[in-house]
Amino acid sequence: MKPDFKRILAYITLAILFSCSEDIPDMVELRPLVPVSQDDAAGNWKNVMGIDYLSQLEMPVPENTDSEAYGAELERLVAITKERTSAQEERITYWSAGGVIRWNRILRDLVSKYNVAPAVGAAPEPQRPFTNPPFAA
């Protein structure tokens, strides 16, 4: 049986013309997070890393605030801040909405774009697409 290339080409053309061409909808623009208050008791938080950070992690003693090294470091930080470009400012504003939220949004966009199954070897189910937020999150 000889394949009918014209018919195959017509099917491929129709599939391309009528395939899904919708873009991922834009989401609401998120504003930078603003802390409600300073956590003055942050030094008393319970350690969840499972290590004794006071003995296993060595931290250098900070310089006195009136030392020359502290002043030089502070001046360098101020200079770096003043040298920022508008593109860097935009990136800072973008990520200020929260890293977890931003990475979640990026991954959800990738899942919806490529329809990747959440588990290796899992077959897509049309009734439960993987772009559904519970699967993508």
Side-chain angles (χ1 to χ4, degrees):
M1 180 171 186
K2 183 178 173 185
D4 188 1
F5 290 110
K6 288 181 182 179
R7 184 177 288 179
I8 293 171
L9 184 61
Y11 287 139
I12 291 173
T13 304
L14 286 173
I16 291 172
L17 289 175
F18 293 107
S19 64
C20 181
S21 63
E22 295 179 18
D23 287 335
I24 299 170
D26 291 334
M27 297 192 185
V28 177
E29 189 58 36
L30 300 172
R31 294 185 308 245
L33 297 175
V34 179
V36 176
S37 66
Q38 295 290 330
D39 190 354
D40 295 330
N44 299 325
W45 288 354
K46 181 182 175 187
N47 180 8
V48 295
M49 292 176 46
I51 63 170
D52 182 14
Y53 63 90
L54 294 176
S55 64
Q56 292 179 338
L57 300 176
E58 291 189 30
M59 299 291 290
V61 177
E63 297 284 338
N64 289 331
T65 57
D66 57 351
S67 70
E68 289 183 28
Y70 182 85
E73 184 178 358
L74 193 58
E75 287 177 18
R76 179 67 186 133
L77 290 173
V78 170
I80 290 171
T81 303
K82 289 180 180 178
E83 295 169 1
R84 283 189 257 183
T85 65
S86 60
Q88 290 171 326
E89 290 286 341
E90 287 176 12
R91 280 187 262 160
I92 290 168
T93 303
Y94 176 82
W95 285 100
S96 294
V100 172
I101 293 171
R102 291 300 184 189
W103 279 115
N104 185 283
R105 185 176 278 183
I106 290 168
L107 292 174
R108 285 177 56 191
D109 287 346
L110 289 172
V111 167
S112 64
K113 182 176 180 179
Y114 296 107
N115 196 25
V116 178
V120 175
E125 297 177 40
Q127 279 24 358
R128 298 173 62 191
F130 297 118
T131 57
N132 191 352
F135 288 103

